[in-house]
Amino acid sequence: MNRGAVDEALRRVDDSHCQLVEDRRTVQAVEVALRDLVPVAPERGGTFIGPLAARLGLRPATLRAWEAAGLVRPGRDRRTGYRVYDADDVRDVMLVHQLRRGGHLLAQIAPLITQVRAVGGVAPLESTLRVWRDRLSARGRAMLAGAAELDAYLRVRAAASAGSAAGGPD
């Protein structure tokens, strides 16, 4: 601003607001995904990739890609070597599926899945999401206050420029 790059500074402010909007959408998508997540009843012996993929309307290749990305970690049947998904694995698959349907990238989903595993399920995430929302609100308020200060500064600069261009007071 002090060097006169007002347009560049305003573009950066705009970018910050866009990032805040995207962060709010992410929190909302995670909340919706968690709310829509159906509790999984443990299946005796787990479930194999084909039936799980069919149940969700996915291709087994999709589940293998999610495994390669570290989002799901099914065990293996000792005799056949086939993937076996227990209740926690199915929960992770369903959460990834919900978030992917919401347009989120695997790289965006990975930290959430890691956190779900660390806390042992989705229930403890409610407090994390509340804190996340509160931080986004605080950031939004700070950005609003900063924008007001920036506007005041630009008005003073404009008035000073107008005064010096007009020759100033006599």
Side-chain angles (χ1 to χ4, degrees):
M1 287 295 184
N2 291 327
R3 292 186 305 242
V6 174
D7 287 340
E8 173 64 17
L10 292 175
R11 186 194 60 75
R12 289 182 183 198
V13 169
D14 293 344
D15 288 346
S16 296
H17 284 267
C18 288
Q19 183 62 54
L20 181 62
V21 167
E22 186 60 33
D23 291 347
R24 286 186 187 280
R25 285 184 180 140
T26 299
V27 169
Q28 184 177 17
V30 170
E31 289 172 337
V32 167
L34 293 177
R35 186 176 55 242
D36 292 346
L37 201 59
V38 177
V40 179
E43 295 182 23
R44 187 169 181 232
T47 187
F48 293 107
I49 193 168
L52 179 58
R55 186 166 96 192
L56 297 174
L58 300 170
R59 294 181 18 235
T62 300
L63 296 179
R64 287 191 289 274
W66 293 351
E67 181 182 356
L71 299 174
V72 294
R73 302 183 303 201
R76 296 284 181 156
D77 181 272
R78 291 178 197 249
R79 290 184 303 117
T80 64
Y82 293 162
R83 291 168 177 84
V84 179
Y85 295 80
D86 65 17
D88 289 345
D89 298 324
V90 173
R91 174 205 63 212
D92 293 349
V93 166
M94 292 175 71
L95 185 54
V96 172
H97 182 52
Q98 290 282 43
L99 292 169
R100 288 293 294 144
R101 288 175 54 197
H104 294 282
L105 303 174
L106 297 181
Q108 296 170 312
I109 297 170
L112 176 66
I113 296 296
T114 299
Q115 189 169 13
V116 167
R117 287 184 191 134
V119 298
V122 295
L125 290 181
E126 290 179 21
S127 64
T128 300
L129 289 170
R130 192 175 325 104
V131 168
W132 194 0
R133 274 193 315 274
D134 291 347
R135 285 167 57 202
L136 289 175
S137 292
R139 193 166 107 209
R141 294 281 310 261
M143 290 171 67
L144 184 62
E149 292 292 327
L150 180 59
D151 181 60
Y153 174 75
L154 290 174
R155 286 176 191 268
V156 168
R157 278 190 53 163
S161 291
S164 64
D170 289 328

